[in-house]
Amino acid sequence: MSALLPALIVVPLLSAGVVALVGRGSSRTSDAVANVGMIVTTALVLMVLGQALGGARLQWSAGGASPLGINLAADALSGLMLLVVAVGALAATVYSIGYMESYTSKAKYYVLFMLMVTGLNMVLLGADILNMYVGIEVAALSCYALVAYGLGKEYLEASFKYQVLGTVGTLCLVSGIGLFYLQTGDLSFALSSASGPVGVLPVILLLSGLSLKAAFVPYHAWLPDAHSTAPSPVSAVLSGVFIKVVGLYGLMRLLFLVFVPGGSFSIILMVIAALSILGGAFLALVQTDMKRLLAYCTISQMGYVLLGVAVATPLALVGALFHMVNHAAFKELFFFGAGSVEKQAGTRTIASLGGLNSRMPITGVTSAIGFFSVSGCPPFSGFWSKLIIIVAAIQAGYVGFAVVAALGAVVTIGYFLKYELGVFFGALPGNLTDVREGPVSMWAPMVLMAVFCVALGLAFPWVIEYLLEPAVSAVMLGA
Amino acid sequence: MSSLALFSIALIAVGLYGVLAKVNLLKVVIGLVIMCLGIAGLVIGAGSAGAAVAPVLQTVGLVAIVGGASVASLLIVTAVRLYEKYGSLDIRQMRRLKG
């Protein structure tokens, strides 16, 4: 029994309540409460991670045995994901101090944001599929509201679309969970795979539900709208953290329970991954809106992670988890940068921007670092994770999928060159000559994420040994 | 197959038709709610089909109902806001996001 685990849910929940109570009049108070809440959460996550990396499986339960009671557990995989959530959300709350000034009622924003963090932590700490599902629902509900936060036509439209498709996804999950229980008599993640085979139908339902949440092609229709219209700190958390936690994390937990690696479902997952890599990349190529391009890029990069998960050898899982962490770093960086450009220059259409390097040097330099990481330049983090995924696919005999992944990387360079050259290089349009860098609360998170892009790349042998390998052995425990 | 299961499957089919074929935002929401209730009925029915009632499946069904109700309220709020902006509930007129 470790009281740390419920604290990870209670702290963000409590800060949501406190913001709602005291933040009404003053946006400074809301900023302070939300950021302190996230700092405390991050500190708690570090304590949990420290214990989980030592090989311990932390547990806590109340209200009866699994799956009827509330059962929480954390191993190295949950610890790693909790860290990504906490750091990503902390950077976004810091960024919100400056960015959300132009929106009304910061307090309501922080309430929804902290509820989303609560939901994400619930997903990661749930010890069975039912607890995970409740977390997904909590996180998704606050997320729908956050996407609609601007209350303009496109915000509401994106949110409505997201809500309908998200609900269809949760309905798939519910029926999948029901069938899964009927066949196995258990919902726990610690269930041994010897408890009997799972039929095709629950696997398809669970896979569809999680794919809708993670927006793999062809389940991706809602993502470009939702991720590009949401306020930028929310976009950053949605793309960088949210879809990985509600979609991929569940898939990884279920990987060795319901999907037999190497079987036909692995091939289906790999085809979905290849479709996502190429579909996302080619659709990103034709985008004219900065944030929409980034949203399609998310679909493409999630394809790489899914490819690693589907290959399911230890090396491929290391690559998948590494790419997940890297994607969180550079995608948050890009969305923070796009948000700054939008706020300072008043537009996010690539064609009407240009030459911003001279006006917003910090955004320009950090964005270039993100570009090197996402397009896979050697010392930066994105290079190593893509390389590991491709090598692992070849080793496992899936040469075709490795070629697709390499092709996707080339297209990625193409659309990000368009993004970088169109926004930060070239001639500065006359109406943008008095654009300035945003306040420190907006560029500090970008610098932090850029440091991660460089540091994870330089220190990759240690990252893999001390952070990723324990997580992979937690995934493979069921194998 | 019990009559509850058949009724639930019919509800899911009706709900799916509403979500896919209707162009009125509120009818889409209604379809979603019907589908949600159908799935909850199916899961709960499966839990009480045998000699012993399976409390876990009852829980799953209840969670689905609660989740469906909360998302339905949010959907209706969004639909009302969209009506205020567009003066219509017709989904075909809402085409600001494409590509």
Side-chain angles (χ1 to χ4, degrees):
Chain A
M1 296 288 270
S2 166
L4 275 176
L5 301 186
L8 279 177
I9 295 172
V10 170
V11 169
L13 193 61
L14 207 62
S15 19
V18 173
V19 173
L21 280 179
V22 303
R24 281 267 161 129
S26 139
S27 72
R28 291 281 149 266
T29 321
S30 322
D31 289 338
V33 174
N35 280 289
V36 168
M38 272 323 299
I39 290 170
V40 174
T41 312
T42 313
L44 290 171
V45 165
L46 287 174
M47 287 159 75
V48 169
L49 185 70
Q51 295 183 22
L53 286 180
R57 189 171 189 274
L58 284 75
Q59 278 178 316
W60 185 86
S61 65
S66 170
L68 279 178
I70 300 170
N71 288 276
L72 307 179
D75 55 16
L77 176 65
S78 333
L80 174 70
M81 301 289 292
L82 282 168
L83 184 67
V84 173
V85 170
V87 174
L90 178 60
T93 41
V94 173
Y95 187 83
S96 307
I97 297 175
Y99 185 85
M100 295 307 289
E101 280 301 325
S102 50
Y103 289 80
T104 52
S105 184
K106 242 180 175 178
K108 285 176 189 154
Y109 163 78
Y110 280 126
V111 170
L112 289 168
F113 191 93
M114 297 314 279
L115 282 177
M116 180 172 76
V117 174
T118 311
L120 292 177
N121 282 350
M122 279 168 78
V123 174
L124 295 173
L125 291 171
D128 53 57
I129 311 177
L130 189 57
N131 278 317
M132 182 184 84
Y133 167 75
V134 175
I136 289 179
E137 196 82 321
V138 171
L141 274 169
S142 27
C143 185
Y144 301 147
L146 279 173
V147 169
Y149 195 74
L151 287 180
K153 279 181 180 175
E154 64 270 23
Y155 294 90
L156 293 167
E157 228 182 288
S159 175
F160 194 87
K161 201 171 179 182
Y162 184 17
Q163 286 176 47
V164 172
L165 286 172
T167 310
V168 173
T170 48
L171 291 181
C172 286
L173 276 179
V174 171
S175 32
I177 292 170
L179 278 171
F180 186 85
Y181 182 80
L182 270 183
Q183 294 186 349
T184 61
D186 198 358
L187 289 175
S188 165
F189 287 133
L191 168 81
S192 72
S193 20
S195 69
V198 182
V200 177
L201 194 56
V203 176
I204 291 178
L205 285 168
L206 287 171
L207 177 62
S208 307
L210 292 171
S211 298
L212 259 165
K213 293 281 171 193
F216 300 126
V217 176
Y219 300 92
H220 68 287
W222 59 269
L223 184 140
D225 297 342
H227 287 204
S228 62
T229 47
S232 283
V234 178
S235 306
V237 174
L238 278 185
S239 258
V241 174
F242 187 88
I243 54 171
K244 302 183 176 83
V245 173
V246 300
L248 262 169
Y249 172 80
L251 213 56
M252 292 183 88
R253 281 290 179 206
L254 295 174
L255 189 64
F256 290 95
L257 287 184
V258 297
F259 309 107
V260 183
S264 51
F265 275 108
S266 288
I267 302 293
I268 292 177
L269 286 179
M270 276 181 233
V271 171
I272 294 178
L275 282 175
S276 305
I277 291 174
L278 290 182
F282 281 111
L283 286 167
L285 212 47
V286 298
Q287 297 305 316
T288 54
D289 177 317
M290 288 172 79
K291 280 173 78 178
R292 227 176 151 76
L293 184 145
L294 295 176
Y296 276 109
C297 169
T298 298
I299 298 177
S300 175
Q301 303 302 320
M302 288 293 281
Y304 282 96
V305 183
L306 181 64
L307 183 62
V309 171
V311 170
T313 58
L315 184 65
L317 288 171
V318 166
L321 283 175
F322 197 15
H323 200 60
M324 189 139 73
V325 175
N326 292 337
H327 179 253
F330 61 67
K331 194 45 63 71
E332 291 225 341
L333 167 56
F334 277 123
F335 269 118
F336 290 155
S340 293
V341 169
E342 186 190 7
K343 193 170 162 67
Q344 303 298 325
T347 176
R348 49 173 211 249
T349 310
I350 295 175
S352 51
L353 292 162
L356 284 178
N357 256 340
S358 58
R359 292 283 163 255
M360 305 175 73
I362 301 174
T363 312
V365 170
T366 51
S367 182
I369 292 173
F371 165 69
F372 288 131
S373 184
V374 69
S375 53
C377 289
F380 293 92
S381 57
F383 170 73
W384 302 111
S385 50
K386 281 190 187 173
L387 185 72
I388 293 172
I389 292 173
I390 292 174
V391 167
I394 293 174
Q395 271 185 359
Y398 303 108
V399 180
F401 291 107
V403 171
V404 167
L407 183 65
V410 176
V411 185
T412 307
I413 300 178
Y415 63 77
F416 266 109
L417 273 177
K418 171 185 166 183
Y419 179 93
E420 285 291 313
L421 295 179
V423 177
F424 295 106
F425 292 88
L428 187 73
N431 58 339
L432 298 181
T433 43
D434 52 353
V435 170
R436 292 280 170 275
E437 191 70 67
V440 61
S441 67
M442 281 169 73
W443 59 256
M446 283 187 251
V447 173
L448 177 73
M449 290 300 156
V451 168
F452 277 127
C453 284
V454 177
L456 288 171
L458 293 179
F460 81 95
W462 295 281
V463 174
I464 289 175
E465 188 178 345
Y466 296 111
L467 206 55
L468 301 177
E469 278 181 350
V472 169
S473 36
V475 179
M476 300 196 68
L477 213 59
Chain B
M1 197 174 275
S2 72
S3 50
L4 176 62
L6 285 175
F7 182 60
S8 304
I9 289 170
L11 281 182
I12 294 172
V14 170
L16 201 59
Y17 167 75
V19 173
L20 294 177
K22 289 293 170 190
V23 292
N24 183 319
L25 289 179
L26 287 181
K27 288 187 181 169
V28 172
V29 178
I30 291 169
L32 216 50
V33 171
I34 293 176
M35 198 158 92
C36 180
L37 292 179
I39 285 174
L42 202 59
V43 172
I44 291 172
S48 42
V53 173
V56 172
L57 288 176
Q58 316 272 346
T59 317
V60 174
L62 279 176
V63 169
I65 292 172
V66 172
S70 30
V71 84
S73 54
L74 194 58
L75 272 164
I76 290 169
V77 170
T78 317
V80 169
R81 290 279 193 166
L82 275 167
Y83 180 76
E84 286 170 2
K85 299 278 174 195
Y86 283 93
S88 157
L89 283 170
D90 192 335
I91 215 162
R92 288 168 299 189
Q93 294 182 11
M94 294 160 197
R95 283 278 177 265
R96 288 181 66 89
L97 301 166
K98 270 186 132 178

